[in-house]
Amino acid sequence: MAATGIMFHPFPLKLISVYRCGLRPIQTATRRKPTDKITATSLEVGSHRIDNLLLKPTANKLHEFVVKLPGGTPIISSATGIPVPTGEEIKHRYLVKTRTAYRTRIKPYLSLAKYRLTGLVVITTIGGYILCPSTALSTFCLSTFLLTTVGTWFMSCSANSLNQLLEVPFDSQMNRTRGRPLVTGRLSPLQALMFASSTGLAGLSTLYLSVNPVAAGLGLLTLLLYAGVYTPMKRYSIGNTWCGAVVGALPPVLGWTAASGGAFHLGALSLGLLLYSWQFPHFNSLSWNLRGDYSRAGYHMTALCNPKLCRVVALRHSLAMLPISLSFPYFSVTTWYFPFAALLINLPLIYLSVNFYRDPSRKTSRTLFFSTLFHLPLIFILLLVCKV
């Protein structure tokens, strides 16, 4: 088989020649300098089509592109005799480059924003928005809903970024957090500060200008409490857990006020109380197995400083789910079917909290923690089903 390929001149000229064997360019780009990247957007070899082909020539040297013919024979450079990379090799190189860009440029910022926690915040905000009586199907405003979601996402990203920025020396001492981008050096403190500032400004502007000032105020309060109060309090007082629970209770209230145009309703208070109480069995069971980490970092956590109080509070707030469930139909958020159906979700949580209280161990704490991950979405789904 004759040598086949696409040859490029080393000087700033267009494509010079295409050889035989059915290879033809679909679209080509010229280069103006010897070191410019030359792109053959698409090539056809017989019945095969290869897309996104990239060439990067070296100055003052002849270059050509190499593909693999259907029979598996590589195209050989008529000038150098060097085989050209096959289509599979080019695709593999492109995928490796894409994955590297994700790991080095995108993933560190996602980790900085604690994207899983941010997702939970956004979901609870959406729940508060939809449960508001003002969001009947006939009056639902899609633009306000989307802007509330985006604004909340930005505010949460900003708060989490500031949290990590302030805790770099302590995160480096904990197994759970020593892989964070600021600890490993994947991001610099200046990059983290710029990201936190830009997302915070974007979120606050979105909520204030496109939703309403009350929602923007709640978003700002959440950021200030989380980054300015909860984060430093972890070093001095076990009260940080209660402060963090307030922070977690605000997003559904934000969603409710966004849907109601800034009007407050006691139903929003019920949602806030639900999130407030849910966080104690969730976080106290999580922190039980992290006491060694918290001790090394110097954090004052209830599980470390007062283990019995940690278990009592988890059980107390699991029991509090029962009267909180009754408040939803009382404030005309749901029908009266909700508190009775919610027993099927709340009673297992109470049972596991009792087990954790009686036998505090790694097994009982992990079981309680994982049960809270199912408890919250099931409660929200039931609230939506039973909504008035």
Side-chain angles (χ1 to χ4, degrees):
M1 181 178 291
T4 308
I6 301 178
M7 186 184 300
F8 291 96
H9 198 274
F11 300 102
L13 300 177
K14 292 186 176 180
L15 180 67
I16 293 179
S17 61
V18 179
Y19 293 101
R20 299 184 297 278
C21 296
L23 178 65
R24 65 186 183 88
I26 306 301
Q27 179 181 355
T28 62
T30 62
R31 59 192 175 100
R32 299 168 188 255
K33 298 178 182 178
T35 56
D36 283 351
K37 182 180 288 186
I38 302 176
T39 304
T41 303
S42 181
L43 294 177
E44 283 187 354
V45 183
S47 60
H48 294 259
R49 181 185 178 99
I50 305 174
D51 297 317
N52 299 324
L53 305 178
L54 301 178
L55 294 173
K56 187 175 182 182
T58 306
N60 302 323
K61 289 187 179 180
L62 186 64
H63 293 273
E64 56 186 45
F65 186 74
V66 189
V67 293
K68 200 171 186 179
L69 293 178
T73 305
I75 298 174
I76 307 297
S77 166
S78 59
T80 63
I82 301 174
V84 183
T86 64
E88 290 77 7
E89 291 172 341
I90 296 167
K91 182 178 178 182
H92 174 71
R93 293 175 186 175
Y94 174 77
L95 291 176
V96 169
K97 186 176 181 180
T98 303
R99 291 167 184 164
T100 302
Y102 169 76
R103 288 195 300 267
T104 58
R105 299 179 184 178
I106 301 175
K107 190 175 181 179
Y109 285 102
L110 291 176
S111 300
L112 184 67
K114 299 181 182 178
Y115 63 94
R116 292 188 181 91
L117 178 59
T118 294
L120 178 61
V121 170
V122 171
I123 289 172
T124 56
T125 304
I126 291 173
Y129 190 100
I130 296 176
L131 284 170
C132 179
S134 302
T135 55
L137 189 60
S138 58
T139 59
F140 184 82
C141 181
L142 181 60
S143 61
T144 303
F145 171 75
L146 293 177
L147 289 168
T148 302
T149 302
V150 171
T152 304
W153 174 274
F154 280 135
M155 294 299 289
S156 181
C157 288
S158 179
N160 290 325
S161 301
L162 290 173
N163 168 264
Q164 290 196 42
L165 185 61
L166 295 171
E167 293 186 339
V168 174
F170 315 115
D171 285 345
S172 62
Q173 302 176 54
M174 299 175 61
N175 294 328
R176 187 172 66 96
T177 57
R178 64 179 48 175
R180 287 178 173 176
L182 286 171
V183 178
T184 58
R186 287 178 290 161
L187 291 176
S188 68
L190 180 60
Q191 288 175 312
L193 181 61
M194 293 297 294
F195 179 76
S197 302
S198 58
T199 52
L201 182 60
L204 188 62
S205 302
T206 301
L207 293 175
Y208 184 82
L209 298 176
S210 304
V211 184
N212 61 64
V214 177
L218 288 172
L220 180 60
L221 177 62
T222 302
L223 187 150
L224 294 176
L225 282 176
Y226 188 70
V229 181
Y230 166 74
T231 298
M233 188 184 288
K234 290 164 67 176
R235 300 279 299 169
Y236 305 107
S237 171
I238 63 173
N240 69 81
T241 305
W242 283 262
C243 179
V246 173
V247 174
L250 289 176
V253 181
L254 188 157
W256 186 291
T257 55
S260 64
F264 185 77
H265 187 271
L266 290 176
L269 178 62
S270 295
L271 272 178
L273 288 174
L274 175 68
L275 264 293
Y276 178 82
S277 289
W278 173 84
Q279 287 175 87
F280 287 98
H282 173 76
F283 182 76
N284 287 11
S285 58
L286 171 66
S287 63
W288 188 263
N289 293 320
L290 299 174
R291 289 174 292 173
D293 270 357
Y294 289 135
S295 178
R296 284 191 295 271
Y299 288 144
H300 286 64
M301 294 297 178
T302 313
L304 179 64
C305 301
N306 194 333
K308 183 177 181 180
L309 180 63
C310 174
R311 307 195 311 271
V312 169
V313 170
L315 177 58
R316 182 186 302 160
H317 284 276
S318 297
L319 292 170
M321 290 291 181
L322 299 177
I324 291 173
S325 298
L326 288 171
S327 69
F328 286 101
Y330 184 79
F331 294 131
S332 302
V333 178
T334 66
T335 64
W336 281 98
Y337 291 108
F338 171 76
F340 299 101
L343 286 173
L344 299 176
I345 305 172
N346 290 328
L347 289 179
L349 180 70
I350 295 171
Y351 172 75
L352 294 175
S353 296
V354 170
N355 285 347
F356 175 56
Y357 174 77
R358 290 178 174 175
D359 178 25
S361 64
R362 180 177 181 84
K363 180 179 178 180
T364 57
S365 62
R366 284 176 60 86
T367 305
L368 176 59
F369 170 72
F370 284 112
S371 72
T372 61
L373 298 180
F374 292 97
H375 178 273
L376 188 63
L378 289 175
I379 280 288
F380 266 88
I381 292 172
L382 189 60
L383 282 168
L384 295 175
V385 170
C386 297
K387 180 185 176 182
V388 174

